């Protein structure tokens, strides 16, 4: 009979002590990404078609993992009747953080470097693919990111994003949406 009495008391004590543990799900933990990772915090989400000469797309490019020594960016122009392969957008970047500013002229120069003459105009879409390399030469790309990082714009990954050339800059744009 004593065993029947002590069993509920012991169970009650065990459960009461387990309830005293801190619930970590309530902590505002920072956003962490393991491994090689580049982040682009886009502050200029479109190229202004009314002001092509001075307008730029971009934002702060950072290396939160501190493991990246080189970042390459490729661009692809998409418009009605014209679509190209991805081409290098200038030389690889090797210092971070850096304000990434992509102008219409920079894209036109990149196409000219591969033998194609284009003029950026209203309605164009620019698609970007980035690659990062660590000191051992290991490359990381969009497909190397976790599903969570790829699907959440809040992670601001710098491996696959897009930009439009528009005259109406009042709308909100998600530059990280999949394409």
């Amino acid at each position: 009979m004593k065993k029947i009495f002590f069993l509920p008391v012991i169970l009650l004590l065990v459960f009461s002590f387990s309830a005293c543990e801190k619930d970590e799900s309530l902590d505002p933990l920072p956003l962490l990404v393991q491994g090689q990772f580049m982040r682009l915090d886009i502050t200029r989400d479109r190229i202004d078609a009314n002001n092509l000469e001075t307008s730029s797309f971009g934002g702060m490019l950072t290396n939160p993992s501190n493991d990246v020594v080189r970042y390459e960016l490729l661009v692809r122009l998409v418009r009605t009747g014209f679509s190209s392969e991805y081409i290098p957008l200038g030389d690889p970047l090797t210092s971070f953080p850096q304000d990434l500013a992509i102008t219409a002229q920079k894209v036109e120069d990149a196409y000219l470097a591969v033998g194609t003459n284009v003029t950026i105009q209203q309605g164009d879409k620019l698609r970007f693919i980035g690659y990062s390399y660590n000191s051992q030469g290991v490359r990381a790309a969009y497909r190397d990111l976790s599903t969570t990082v790829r699907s959440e714009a809040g992670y601001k990954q710098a491996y696959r994003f897009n930009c439009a050339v528009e005259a109406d800059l009042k709308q909100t744009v998600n530059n990280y949406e999949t394409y």
Side-chain angles (χ1 to χ4, degrees):
M1 190 70 169
K2 288 183 178 182
K3 289 181 183 179
I4 295 175
F5 175 74
F6 285 113
L7 184 62
V9 171
I10 291 173
L11 287 175
L12 182 65
L13 288 173
V14 168
F15 285 120
S16 66
F17 285 119
S18 67
C20 294
E21 289 182 27
K22 185 177 179 183
D23 184 3
E24 291 182 15
S25 68
L26 302 176
D27 289 343
L29 297 174
L31 213 52
L32 295 177
V33 179
Q34 298 295 321
Q36 194 172 314
F37 184 70
M38 291 298 291
R39 178 181 167 103
L40 178 61
D41 187 10
I42 298 172
T43 54
R44 299 173 307 277
D45 62 0
R46 285 165 281 193
I47 294 177
D48 184 358
N50 294 323
N51 198 5
L52 288 174
E53 297 79 30
T54 58
S55 178
S56 69
F57 162 79
M60 192 56 64
L61 181 67
T62 57
N63 175 11
S65 66
N66 289 321
D67 192 27
V68 176
V69 296
R70 188 175 88 221
Y71 176 76
E72 295 176 349
L73 190 58
L74 306 169
V75 63
R76 176 180 177 209
L77 173 62
V78 178
R79 73 165 60 131
T80 305
F82 178 84
S83 183
S84 71
E85 297 296 319
Y86 284 94
I87 62 166
L89 185 65
D91 295 329
L93 304 175
T94 57
S95 65
F96 314 103
Q98 187 170 124
D99 183 25
L100 183 66
I102 300 167
T103 63
Q105 186 64 52
K106 188 171 187 172
V107 174
E108 290 171 0
D109 291 346
Y111 273 94
L112 199 54
V114 296
T116 304
N117 191 11
V118 298
T119 302
I120 301 300
Q121 58 194 24
Q122 182 172 341
D124 286 349
K125 304 282 187 228
L126 302 174
R127 300 187 181 200
F128 300 95
I129 292 180
Y131 298 105
S132 62
Y133 298 83
N134 67 13
S135 58
Q136 289 79 36
V138 176
R139 181 176 92 165
Y142 182 77
R143 291 185 180 166
D144 298 317
L145 302 174
S146 72
T147 305
T148 303
V149 174
R150 284 188 294 201
S151 63
E152 295 292 331
Y155 282 94
K156 302 179 181 182
Q157 51 80 19
Y159 296 94
R160 191 161 129 181
F161 49 94
N162 57 64
C163 162
V165 180
E166 298 178 351
D168 179 17
L169 303 178
K170 294 176 185 171
Q171 305 173 41
T172 303
V173 175
N174 178 6
N175 297 94
Y176 301 104
E177 66 186 356
T178 57
Y179 45 84

